[in-house]
Amino acid sequence: MRGITCQDGSSLAVVPVAARDRGGAAYEITLELRRDGAVFGAVGERCGHRIAALAERVAAARADGSPQSGRWPDPDDRFPEPGGGLPADAPGDEPELFAFRHRERADGAGTGELRCTLRTTARWVGPGGRDGRWRIARRAVVEAWGAGGRGVRAVLTSGELAGFLAEVLAEAERDRSSRRLTGRR
């Protein structure tokens, strides 16, 4: 898994780990966080279905003709509406797309956290004075905290978030298929 580049220059990989039933069959995933290749934390109690649903919602939001396309001409600014579908577009609002705070129900605080919020920013472009215009952009802010309390942050376009989610899901499916083909459990 290649991971995403964080603002501090480190690489954050989110590796799906199969949750298995008593017979050894994979039925869900949890997530192992790796920062620059080293284990950083573990999160996401049975989160595969939530990740897959979000991936579908991001793809739908990015599509031409989506409700978001009328308001956000650049596909990289198009994200699904979090929560109950209420728009939260004012600068400073940071609605949450997902938050995974533990791996197992019995895990205490401090095993790690992976969170994704939306951030809307405004930047003045063009010459100074009245001849410029505001460039409004939306980005996904992915933050991860390790078991030791250190955190990293990456800022992604909706295309980058879609690729990240697809990569996590593809890795989970590869692991599931390879175990089925090799007989490993």
Side-chain angles (χ1 to χ4, degrees):
M1 176 137 223
R2 71 178 159 82
I4 54 178
T5 302
C6 299
Q7 289 181 322
D8 67 358
S10 64
S11 176
L12 175 68
V14 177
V15 180
V17 178
R20 300 189 177 283
D21 64 19
R22 291 181 187 166
Y27 66 92
E28 248 299 1
I29 62 171
T30 58
L31 304 173
E32 180 181 275
L33 307 177
R34 294 183 185 168
R35 182 174 181 231
D36 292 332
V39 174
F40 190 55
V43 299
E45 177 189 358
R46 319 284 190 268
C47 62
H49 292 294
R50 289 181 57 201
I51 292 171
L54 178 59
E56 289 175 7
R57 291 177 49 223
V58 170
R62 289 181 49 78
D64 289 336
S66 71
Q68 291 84 354
S69 66
R71 183 138 189 241
W72 302 97
D74 184 347
D76 279 339
D77 292 328
R78 298 179 198 159
F79 290 90
E81 294 302 332
L86 301 173
D89 297 328
D93 286 351
E94 293 188 10
E96 199 168 77
L97 289 176
F98 66 78
F100 304 121
R101 292 187 173 88
H102 53 77
R103 184 188 66 231
E104 299 289 338
R105 289 181 193 141
D107 285 350
T111 58
E113 183 171 344
L114 180 66
R115 180 174 183 244
C116 180
T117 58
L118 287 181
R119 183 172 294 162
T120 303
T121 59
R123 184 174 51 106
W124 187 258
V125 294
R130 296 182 356 199
D131 295 328
R133 64 179 178 81
W134 288 104
R135 165 66 172 111
I136 308 295
R138 289 177 98 186
R139 295 295 180 258
V141 179
V142 177
E143 297 173 308
W145 288 270
R150 280 192 73 186
V152 293
R153 174 181 294 150
V155 178
L156 307 176
T157 66
S158 67
E160 292 167 334
L161 179 63
F164 167 71
L165 296 171
E167 187 176 335
V168 170
L169 293 169
E171 181 68 23
E173 187 55 38
R174 272 193 298 277
D175 179 56
R176 185 176 164 149
S177 295
S178 70
R179 289 178 184 268
R180 191 174 354 180
L181 295 174
T182 63
R184 293 183 306 146
R185 294 198 181 228

